[in-house]
Amino acid sequence: MTDKPQVSIVLPTYNGAGYLAQSVQSCLEQTYAPIELIVVDDGSTDHTPAVIQSFKDPRLRYVRLERNQGHIAALNQGFALSRGEFLTWTSDDNYYAPQALAVMAEALIRDKHIGFVYTQYYVVDEHNHIQRLGRSENPSYLDVDNCIGGCFLYRRKVYEVVGDFNPEAFLAEDYEYWLRVRQKFRMKKIDQPLYYYRLHDHSLTGTYKEEKVQVQVQKIRDRFIPKWKKFYWRFFSIRCH
């Protein structure tokens, strides 16, 4: 038995069987044991069910939606089923370093005033070759762009206060969510690369192109960032890569 808080990981997937096994395995092989992994199959037509059935870990919960409802709907349904004290989500084409959850959970346990933590990450290709170090910035840089990345953990209280992901923020739903979190809770960056973000042609970014993503990011920035902050960042020419 353990008295450590349980972590709920939501993993939405749609026809992502190609990389799904590695993503699932990276969750189940975390050094932080008290987890539940909720895989939400958003009506896949590939062999996703067979991939999930190959895992026999009781911590894995598989939810299959009868029809495709979209990435954000799958995310929200997964979190509605979650039971953990700490929450996160990951993609079917990305994967964690083994100690990722342990490092983030310890940060939340150690400092009760922090609601949301996130780490640095690596960018990899289709064959898991590291291309570069990703760029996660301090929370203030959210005024400029989505600079957090895919490795994060937050308290259930954050979910209870901030609510679901916004369907109208598709392609930048994480950015919009982090901005809402920042309005209510302290966020902290951990300077360790503990996640592997995969670039490939069939990813959401690859499918919808960076230009469309940035259009959505700009709409969100216009809604949340005061004009004086925009002028401030422009004056000092601070950019997020």
Side-chain angles (χ1 to χ4, degrees):
M1 297 293 293
T2 178
D3 58 356
K4 292 182 178 179
Q6 184 184 45
V7 171
S8 295
I9 311 168
V10 176
L11 199 169
T13 184
Y14 175 64
N15 289 345
Y19 300 113
L20 180 58
Q22 184 178 24
S23 181
V24 170
Q25 188 170 1
S26 79
C27 296
L28 299 177
E29 292 184 350
Q30 288 295 297
T31 60
Y32 190 90
I35 70 165
E36 65 169 358
L37 173 61
I38 305 169
V39 177
V40 182
D41 180 355
D42 190 23
S44 296
T45 56
D46 62 2
H47 60 285
T48 288
V51 172
I52 299 302
Q53 289 166 11
S54 70
F55 291 92
K56 307 304 179 184
D57 195 311
R59 297 174 299 170
L60 190 158
R61 300 165 62 191
Y62 177 53
V63 180
R64 179 172 172 82
L65 307 182
E66 292 305 314
R67 60 179 180 83
N68 179 252
Q69 299 180 33
H71 171 73
I72 296 177
L75 265 181
N76 289 337
Q77 292 197 44
F79 282 115
L81 296 170
S82 69
R83 299 174 293 210
E85 185 175 336
F86 297 157
L87 307 174
T88 189
W89 72 271
T90 188
S91 300
D92 57 15
D93 47 4
N94 302 332
Y95 56 100
Y96 289 107
Q99 71 275 31
L101 293 184
V103 170
M104 293 189 291
E106 177 57 33
L108 291 177
I109 293 169
R110 186 169 55 247
D111 190 340
K112 304 298 185 183
H113 297 98
I114 296 173
F116 186 111
V117 296
Y118 58 100
T119 80
Q120 299 280 21
Y121 63 97
Y122 291 114
V123 177
V124 300
D125 64 14
E126 294 97 327
H127 307 291
N128 303 323
H129 298 144
I130 295 175
Q131 303 299 296
R132 58 182 172 84
L133 183 67
R135 187 71 177 272
S136 292
E137 298 286 0
N138 291 323
S140 60
Y141 275 64
L142 286 170
D143 293 334
V144 182
D145 207 345
N146 180 13
C147 301
I148 286 183
C151 190
F152 47 86
L153 191 68
Y154 51 98
R155 301 183 190 277
R156 175 164 291 276
K157 181 66 174 178
V158 172
Y159 171 61
E160 292 171 348
V161 171
V162 175
D164 285 340
F165 285 86
N166 182 1
E168 295 181 1
F170 178 60
L171 296 179
E173 67 277 356
D174 50 356
Y175 182 46
E176 194 261 4
Y177 198 80
W178 309 159
L179 286 169
R180 283 193 277 146
V181 171
R182 192 181 65 168
Q183 291 178 330
K184 303 287 186 178
F185 297 92
R186 282 182 57 195
M187 307 173 79
K188 180 180 179 180
K189 179 182 72 169
I190 298 172
D191 283 320
Q192 290 178 253
L194 297 174
Y195 194 72
Y196 298 85
Y197 175 82
R198 193 188 309 274
L199 290 180
H200 61 96
D201 291 341
H202 300 294
S203 66
L204 277 178
T205 302
T207 300
Y208 288 94
K209 306 304 180 185
E210 183 63 22
E211 294 81 7
K212 291 186 178 181
V213 175
Q214 287 306 314
V215 167
Q216 187 70 300
V217 166
Q218 186 59 53
K219 289 180 181 178
I220 293 166
R221 188 182 299 120
D222 289 343
R223 175 185 169 193
F224 281 93
I225 311 302
K227 289 184 178 180
W228 70 265
K229 282 193 175 184
K230 297 175 186 176
F231 289 128
Y232 173 88
W233 289 114
R234 188 179 303 167
F235 178 79
F236 284 100
S237 300
I238 296 177
R239 303 208 185 282
C240 184
H241 303 285

Tab-separated table of all heavy atoms in Angstrom, residues 30 95-101 103-104 119-122 151 190 192-196:
chain	number	residue	atom	x	y	z
A	30	GLN	N	6.036	4.107	-15.293
A	30	GLN	CA	6.488	5.201	-14.451
A	30	GLN	C	6.997	4.678	-13.107
A	30	GLN	O	6.452	3.724	-12.548
A	30	GLN	CB	5.355	6.195	-14.216
A	30	GLN	CG	4.989	7.032	-15.420
A	30	GLN	CD	6.139	7.949	-15.836
A	30	GLN	OE1	6.556	8.828	-15.078
A	30	GLN	NE2	6.654	7.731	-17.033
A	95	TYR	N	5.658	10.290	-25.436
A	95	TYR	CA	5.909	9.371	-24.319
A	95	TYR	C	6.737	10.033	-23.228
A	95	TYR	O	7.457	11.002	-23.458
A	95	TYR	CB	6.577	8.081	-24.800
A	95	TYR	CG	7.870	8.247	-25.576
A	95	TYR	CD1	9.104	8.054	-24.961
A	95	TYR	CD2	7.865	8.560	-26.934
A	95	TYR	CE1	10.296	8.182	-25.668
A	95	TYR	CE2	9.044	8.691	-27.653
A	95	TYR	CZ	10.254	8.497	-27.021
A	95	TYR	OH	11.426	8.626	-27.721
A	96	TYR	N	6.595	9.496	-22.013
A	96	TYR	CA	7.252	10.028	-20.826
A	96	TYR	C	8.610	9.378	-20.583
A	96	TYR	O	8.811	8.196	-20.907
A	96	TYR	CB	6.412	9.735	-19.578
A	96	TYR	CG	5.134	10.504	-19.436
A	96	TYR	CD1	3.903	9.881	-19.637
A	96	TYR	CD2	5.126	11.839	-19.052
A	96	TYR	CE1	2.712	10.568	-19.464
A	96	TYR	CE2	3.940	12.536	-18.883
A	96	TYR	CZ	2.737	11.897	-19.096
A	96	TYR	OH	1.556	12.578	-18.933
A	97	ALA	N	9.516	10.113	-19.951
A	97	ALA	CA	10.668	9.508	-19.295
A	97	ALA	C	10.147	8.775	-18.054
A	97	ALA	O	9.130	9.170	-17.474
A	97	ALA	CB	11.675	10.582	-18.896
A	98	PRO	N	10.815	7.694	-17.626
A	98	PRO	CA	10.273	6.875	-16.530
A	98	PRO	C	10.019	7.628	-15.230
A	98	PRO	O	9.098	7.297	-14.492
A	98	PRO	CB	11.357	5.806	-16.337
A	98	PRO	CG	12.038	5.709	-17.661
A	98	PRO	CD	12.033	7.100	-18.215
A	99	GLN	N	10.799	8.649	-14.938
A	99	GLN	CA	10.668	9.358	-13.660
A	99	GLN	C	9.824	10.618	-13.754
A	99	GLN	O	9.733	11.387	-12.786
A	99	GLN	CB	12.059	9.708	-13.113
A	99	GLN	CG	12.798	10.815	-13.878
A	99	GLN	CD	13.563	10.331	-15.096
A	99	GLN	OE1	13.167	9.359	-15.736
A	99	GLN	NE2	14.657	11.000	-15.405
A	100	ALA	N	9.176	10.848	-14.882
A	100	ALA	CA	8.466	12.116	-15.101
A	100	ALA	C	7.422	12.387	-14.024
A	100	ALA	O	7.398	13.461	-13.406
A	100	ALA	CB	7.821	12.125	-16.480
A	101	LEU	N	6.517	11.448	-13.792
A	101	LEU	CA	5.448	11.682	-12.820
A	101	LEU	C	5.986	11.790	-11.406
A	101	LEU	O	5.476	12.575	-10.594
A	101	LEU	CB	4.405	10.569	-12.906
A	101	LEU	CG	3.584	10.500	-14.194
A	101	LEU	CD1	2.528	9.410	-14.085
A	101	LEU	CD2	2.928	11.837	-14.510
A	103	VAL	N	8.863	13.037	-10.410
A	103	VAL	CA	9.453	14.363	-10.224
A	103	VAL	C	8.363	15.416	-10.056
A	103	VAL	O	8.425	16.270	-9.157
A	103	VAL	CB	10.377	14.711	-11.403
A	103	VAL	CG1	10.813	16.176	-11.342
A	103	VAL	CG2	11.601	13.798	-11.410
A	104	MET	N	7.351	15.364	-10.902
A	104	MET	CA	6.291	16.372	-10.831
A	104	MET	C	5.426	16.201	-9.590
A	104	MET	O	5.051	17.190	-8.937
A	104	MET	CB	5.449	16.326	-12.107
A	104	MET	CG	6.197	16.764	-13.352
A	104	MET	SD	5.132	16.945	-14.811
A	104	MET	CE	4.695	15.225	-15.143
A	119	THR	N	7.479	20.438	-17.093
A	119	THR	CA	8.908	20.196	-17.273
A	119	THR	C	9.348	20.568	-18.689
A	119	THR	O	8.535	20.839	-19.579
A	119	THR	CB	9.263	18.722	-17.032
A	119	THR	OG1	8.947	17.941	-18.202
A	119	THR	CG2	8.538	18.156	-15.823
A	120	GLN	N	10.644	20.521	-18.891
A	120	GLN	CA	11.196	20.613	-20.230
A	120	GLN	C	10.928	19.314	-20.985
A	120	GLN	O	10.498	18.311	-20.396
A	120	GLN	CB	12.707	20.879	-20.170
A	120	GLN	CG	13.089	22.172	-19.485
A	120	GLN	CD	12.929	23.370	-20.412
A	120	GLN	OE1	12.204	23.335	-21.401
A	120	GLN	NE2	13.604	24.466	-20.063
A	121	TYR	N	11.223	19.292	-22.282
A	121	TYR	CA	10.943	18.104	-23.084
A	121	TYR	C	11.895	18.042	-24.274
A	121	TYR	O	12.531	19.034	-24.641
A	121	TYR	CB	9.492	18.109	-23.567
A	121	TYR	CG	9.152	19.264	-24.490
A	121	TYR	CD1	9.161	19.119	-25.880
A	121	TYR	CD2	8.819	20.516	-23.978
A	121	TYR	CE1	8.860	20.184	-26.716
A	121	TYR	CE2	8.516	21.582	-24.804
A	121	TYR	CZ	8.538	21.407	-26.178
A	121	TYR	OH	8.247	22.464	-26.996
A	122	TYR	N	11.988	16.848	-24.850
A	122	TYR	CA	12.743	16.651	-26.085
A	122	TYR	C	11.779	16.552	-27.264
A	122	TYR	O	10.670	16.031	-27.132
A	122	TYR	CB	13.557	15.353	-26.032
A	122	TYR	CG	14.710	15.371	-25.071
A	122	TYR	CD1	14.718	14.539	-23.944
A	122	TYR	CD2	15.824	16.191	-25.280
A	122	TYR	CE1	15.783	14.532	-23.062
A	122	TYR	CE2	16.900	16.193	-24.394
A	122	TYR	CZ	16.861	15.368	-23.296
A	122	TYR	OH	17.923	15.365	-22.422
A	151	CYS	N	4.379	18.000	-20.888
A	151	CYS	CA	4.646	17.257	-19.663
A	151	CYS	C	4.274	18.122	-18.473
A	151	CYS	O	5.006	19.054	-18.126
A	151	CYS	CB	6.121	16.859	-19.607
A	151	CYS	SG	6.516	15.702	-18.270
A	190	ILE	N	9.827	23.055	-14.099
A	190	ILE	CA	10.902	22.181	-13.636
A	190	ILE	C	11.899	22.026	-14.776
A	190	ILE	O	11.529	21.583	-15.871
A	190	ILE	CB	10.352	20.806	-13.209
A	190	ILE	CG1	9.378	20.978	-12.037
A	190	ILE	CG2	11.477	19.853	-12.842
A	190	ILE	CD1	8.640	19.708	-11.662
A	192	GLN	N	13.952	20.060	-16.136
A	192	GLN	CA	14.433	18.743	-16.542
A	192	GLN	C	13.623	18.295	-17.757
A	192	GLN	O	12.393	18.399	-17.746
A	192	GLN	CB	14.243	17.708	-15.436
A	192	GLN	CG	15.133	17.863	-14.222
A	192	GLN	CD	14.820	16.805	-13.183
A	192	GLN	OE1	14.226	17.088	-12.137
A	192	GLN	NE2	15.201	15.582	-13.447
A	193	PRO	N	14.277	17.796	-18.801
A	193	PRO	CA	13.517	17.238	-19.932
A	193	PRO	C	13.039	15.827	-19.598
A	193	PRO	O	13.822	14.890	-19.525
A	193	PRO	CB	14.541	17.235	-21.078
A	193	PRO	CG	15.877	17.186	-20.395
A	193	PRO	CD	15.724	17.833	-19.053
A	194	LEU	N	11.734	15.679	-19.399
A	194	LEU	CA	11.163	14.417	-18.926
A	194	LEU	C	10.063	13.894	-19.847
A	194	LEU	O	9.249	13.064	-19.440
A	194	LEU	CB	10.601	14.597	-17.513
A	194	LEU	CG	11.627	14.960	-16.438
A	194	LEU	CD1	10.935	15.271	-15.110
A	194	LEU	CD2	12.643	13.833	-16.247
A	195	TYR	N	10.060	14.351	-21.094
A	195	TYR	CA	8.988	13.999	-22.024
A	195	TYR	C	9.554	14.027	-23.435
A	195	TYR	O	10.504	14.765	-23.724
A	195	TYR	CB	7.870	15.028	-21.881
A	195	TYR	CG	6.542	14.680	-22.514
A	195	TYR	CD1	5.710	13.713	-21.977
A	195	TYR	CD2	6.085	15.375	-23.640
A	195	TYR	CE1	4.458	13.450	-22.529
A	195	TYR	CE2	4.836	15.113	-24.190
A	195	TYR	CZ	4.026	14.148	-23.631
A	195	TYR	OH	2.788	13.880	-24.183
A	196	TYR	N	8.944	13.222	-24.303
A	196	TYR	CA	9.388	13.134	-25.687
A	196	TYR	C	8.208	13.457	-26.599
A	196	TYR	O	7.238	12.702	-26.667
A	196	TYR	CB	9.941	11.732	-25.976
A	196	TYR	CG	11.146	11.408	-25.120
A	196	TYR	CD1	10.979	10.897	-23.825
A	196	TYR	CD2	12.441	11.654	-25.575
A	196	TYR	CE1	12.086	10.624	-23.022
A	196	TYR	CE2	13.542	11.379	-24.779
A	196	TYR	CZ	13.363	10.871	-23.512
A	196	TYR	OH	14.453	10.618	-22.719
